[in-house]
Amino acid sequence: MSKKILILTAPIGMGHVKVAEALKEKFNLKLQDVEVEIVDIFNFFPAFLGKIILNGYAMILKYCPELYGRMYQASNNRNQLVFFKNSINRFLAKRIYKFIFNYNPDIIISTHATPGGLIAYLKKEDLVKTPSFAVVTDFVVHKFWVYKELDGYF
């Protein structure tokens, strides 16, 4: 019976997706009897919300990249945003849980901070027991990447 690896990512920038694809390629090359599934967590967002987030991100990077830099720094330094992050995790985790339950992976890997938060929330609620890891694909480890519920980081 093949082992199942679930890689969760997000198309905010292409680095997160590229790392997910590289991991899948290496797992398929190096491991026997493995099934690797890459899932875009935006598939679980309400469509209108996903479009707003992705289009907003692209516009900010194109027209005011310095604003993105300030927002990134502020979200890493202000504890008030933890409530916002936890609310998003709670909302989206409920939307992805059924998929994870049905897919029943042997391991879960996140290549973006948001899916790492979703898995951490599900583990905290004791809904997921699967070993779960994050591959940090940002230049620095932002506060939104760090969850004690995850089993490890690369």
Side-chain angles (χ1 to χ4, degrees), residues 11-63:
I12 297 180
M14 286 309 295
H16 310 294
V17 174
K18 291 293 185 192
V19 168
E21 292 168 350
L23 286 169
K24 179 177 181 173
E25 182 181 322
K26 286 296 180 186
F27 285 137
N28 285 329
L29 261 172
K30 300 285 184 182
L31 300 175
Q32 298 284 323
D33 226 13
V34 67
E35 175 186 323
V36 183
E37 183 79 22
I38 297 174
V39 173
D40 175 353
I41 62 156
F42 275 73
N43 293 339
F44 299 93
F45 283 44
F48 77 93
L49 181 59
K51 284 183 183 178
I52 289 170
I53 293 170
L54 290 175
N55 291 339
Y57 174 78
M59 287 180 64
I60 289 171
L61 283 182
K62 183 175 181 177
Y63 297 109

Side-chain angles (χ1 to χ4, degrees), residues 19-109:
V19 168
E21 292 168 350
L23 286 169
K24 179 177 181 173
E25 182 181 322
K26 286 296 180 186
F27 285 137
N28 285 329
L29 261 172
K30 300 285 184 182
L31 300 175
Q32 298 284 323
D33 226 13
V34 67
E35 175 186 323
V36 183
E37 183 79 22
I38 297 174
V39 173
D40 175 353
I41 62 156
F42 275 73
N43 293 339
F44 299 93
F45 283 44
F48 77 93
L49 181 59
K51 284 183 183 178
I52 289 170
I53 293 170
L54 290 175
N55 291 339
Y57 174 78
M59 287 180 64
I60 289 171
L61 283 182
K62 183 175 181 177
Y63 297 109
C64 6
E66 62 283 341
L67 176 61
Y68 175 78
R70 284 192 214 123
M71 290 169 36
Y72 188 88
Q73 278 303 108
S75 64
N76 200 28
N77 295 325
R78 295 201 177 123
N79 287 330
Q80 304 93 304
L81 295 173
V82 171
F83 173 77
F84 175 71
K85 174 184 78 162
N86 290 341
S87 297
I88 289 172
N89 288 345
R90 190 170 31 258
F91 171 71
L92 293 175
K94 291 175 183 172
R95 298 179 68 93
I96 199 170
Y97 170 71
K98 185 176 180 182
F99 173 82
I100 293 170
F101 180 81
N102 289 331
Y103 186 69
N104 193 26
D106 295 292
I107 188 170
I108 300 171
I109 300 171

